[in-house]
Amino acid sequence: MRHQRHTLLVAALVVAVIAAVPGGAVAADGLSVSGDQADDGTVTVTVAENNTTVANASVTVEALNNSSYVGEGNYTTDENGTVTLSAPEQNVSVSVTATADNTTAETTLDLVAPTDDSSNISVNVTQADDGNATVSVTNASGAGVANASVSVSEAGNVTYDGTGNYTTGENGTVSLPAPEQNATVDVVAEADNATAETTVDLVAPTDDAAELSVGVSQSEDGSATVSVTNASGDGVANASVTVEALDNVSYAGEGDYTTDESGTVGLPAPEQNVTVDVVAEANNVTAETTATLTVSDDGNATESFGERVSAFVAALQAEGNMSGQEVAAFVVDNNPGADNRPDHVDPGPKDDDSEEDESEESEEDESEESEEDESDEANGNGHGADGNNGNGNDAGADATNGGNGNNGSDNPGNGPSADDDSGGPGNGNGNAGGNDNPGNGNPGNGN
């Protein structure tokens, strides 16, 4: 009898070892099993003992309530104490039992089938400023659905060139052309047996080219710029421009042009005032204007007269017609003259009377100086200051190198003329010498 009670007690203890816990179960000795389902529907089963994962534990998965589950079967935990189960195709409850070292733990998991994004698609249409439209097909996650079928049809009585069937690209989009007039269209997208539909109003873009305009502006240097713009004020590239001079006036800028990326054409400065007719054409639309181009002196005003002469010479050389007479004529014809002279510029030579006076005075001064020099040179006189000793070295020169007598006045030295290489003695006595003593003016030897 005592033996029978012991057996029942052991059985009761074994039953008490297993306890059911939602999402996981813990055995009395610390063994536990739990499950975690990811967003993609897969399930990770973890077996642990006293908070330490158990490798090589046996795991059995069984679907309940007569449901089917592809993840049913027997597994063995890896080094991390885990087992990965497949995502269910439909919601299902499963029993998960873990065994390790003769200890068992069990739990029940409710697995949810993941949402199939492809079964929940959406479609929308956006239109750009230029009128082109883009159809976007996305799944529940907002990602583009590639290879989705898109059908575009007219919802009203307006014809639209974009109707038809399309297939989305890798980014899940389809491009539609801009309508020629406002149109309402139905757009239906289909992918993986899922369908989405929308209706959208497409607006025809404003044809800026239909309001083409052309203008002409002239800069200070005389050059001109033709500008071709659309209704938005943007430059029209590759527009055709024709320039024609009017009133039988010749103009080097006549001809046909094509606007650049900014919608402009440059014209040369006119050599004479001229009126031109300018016609611009783009996208079968024409604009026309008339402008008067004038000769500008501003370009020459910033150049000095010398620069203008240099430019004229360079032009002659370039043409092979270099001529000194032509250069001289250009200088005479284009000299700014006294009337255009700035205040800081030297007025130049005086009038004839002034020139004659200055010439006479200059001639008189030169004549007097010349006579004095010739007289001195002829007599060998030493008129040197500071009581010169009257050493008349160098015939015909002043007898310098006197003594110490200040303000000494040498008497004339008698000698041959300056034209004679041999001068006579220059007898010069220094009078009133400096330092209160007479300056001894020794005779100057006129060599």
Side-chain angles (χ1 to χ4, degrees):
M1 185 69 176
R2 182 178 302 172
H3 177 74
Q4 188 176 11
R5 287 182 179 177
H6 178 72
T7 302
L8 291 175
L9 180 60
V10 171
L13 288 174
V14 171
V15 173
V17 167
I18 301 175
V21 178
V26 179
D29 59 355
L31 188 69
S32 64
V33 59
S34 61
D36 180 44
Q37 189 173 20
D39 292 337
D40 61 359
T42 58
V43 182
T44 300
V45 174
T46 303
V47 178
E49 184 174 7
N50 298 322
N51 297 323
T52 300
T53 57
V54 179
N56 299 317
S58 298
V59 175
T60 300
V61 179
E62 181 180 359
L64 303 178
N65 304 321
N66 295 321
S67 298
S68 61
Y69 172 50
V70 295
E72 284 186 303
N74 299 316
Y75 301 85
T76 300
T77 58
D78 57 17
E79 295 179 355
N80 299 320
T82 62
V83 167
T84 300
L85 305 180
S86 302
E89 296 179 356
Q90 57 184 335
N91 296 347
V92 62
S93 296
V94 296
S95 172
V96 181
T97 303
T99 301
D101 297 330
N102 297 321
T103 302
T104 301
E106 184 179 359
T107 189
T108 299
L109 302 176
D110 295 323
L111 306 182
V112 179
T115 301
D116 185 0
D117 286 342
S118 63
S119 65
N120 185 19
I121 65 172
S122 62
V123 60
N124 69 318
V125 181
T126 58
Q127 190 173 17
D129 293 337
D130 60 2
N132 294 322
T134 301
V135 177
S136 300
V137 180
T138 57
N139 57 26
S141 301
V145 178
N147 299 317
S149 299
V150 175
S151 174
V152 179
S153 60
E154 299 158 352
N157 296 323
V158 177
T159 301
Y160 173 53
D161 292 338
T163 57
N165 297 318
Y166 302 84
T167 300
T168 59
E170 295 181 357
N171 58 355
T173 63
V174 164
S175 296
L176 302 179
E180 296 181 357
Q181 54 185 326
N182 295 348
T184 300
V185 295
D186 289 329
V187 180
V188 178
E190 182 178 356
D192 298 326
N193 297 322
T195 302
E197 182 177 358
T198 187
T199 300
V200 64
D201 295 326
L202 300 180
V203 179
T206 301
D207 188 1
D208 288 340
E211 300 181 27
L212 195 70
S213 63
V214 60
V216 180
S217 61
Q218 190 174 18
S219 60
E220 293 181 354
D221 63 0
S223 62
T225 301
V226 177
S227 300
V228 181
T229 55
N230 57 27
S232 302
D234 298 326
V236 179
N238 299 317
S240 299
V241 175
T242 301
V243 179
E244 181 181 359
L246 304 179
D247 304 325
N248 295 322
V249 178
S250 61
Y251 172 50
E254 284 188 302
D256 297 325
Y257 301 86
T258 300
T259 57
D260 57 18
E261 294 181 357
S262 60
T264 61
V265 164
L267 301 179
E271 297 180 357
Q272 57 184 326
N273 294 347
V274 60
T275 300
V276 295
D277 182 62
V278 181
V279 179
E281 183 179 356
N283 301 319
N284 297 322
V285 180
T286 301
E288 184 174 1
T289 189
T290 300
T292 298
L293 305 180
T294 59
V295 177
S296 175
D297 293 332
D298 290 342
N300 291 334
T302 59
E303 295 179 340
S304 66
F305 179 59
E307 290 174 333
R308 294 177 60 191
V309 173
S310 298
F312 180 75
V313 172
L316 291 178
Q317 292 175 339
E319 297 173 357
N321 296 324
M322 182 60 191
S323 170
Q325 292 180 348
E326 289 191 24
V327 174
F330 177 85
V331 171
V332 173
D333 293 340
N334 294 276
N335 196 317
D339 292 338
N340 296 326
R341 182 184 67 249
D343 295 338
H344 66 278
V345 176
D346 186 357
K350 298 181 179 180
D351 54 23
D352 295 341
D353 293 339
S354 176
E355 291 179 355
E356 291 178 358
D357 294 342
E358 291 181 356
S359 176
E360 291 176 357
E361 292 176 359
S362 176
E363 290 178 358
E364 291 177 359
D365 292 342
E366 291 178 357
S367 177
E368 293 177 357
E369 292 176 358
S370 176
E371 291 177 357
E372 292 177 358
D373 292 340
E374 288 178 358
S375 175
D376 291 342
E377 291 173 356
N379 297 315
N381 294 326
H383 296 291
D386 299 333
N388 293 329
N389 291 326
N391 293 321
N393 296 324
D394 298 331
D398 292 343
T400 58
N401 301 324
N404 296 324
N406 294 325
N407 299 322
S409 177
D410 292 340
N411 294 325
N414 297 320
S417 64
D419 294 333
D420 194 341
D421 291 340
S422 60
N427 296 321
N429 295 318
N431 297 322
N435 300 325
D436 295 332
N437 296 316
N440 295 320
N442 297 321
N445 298 319
N447 297 324

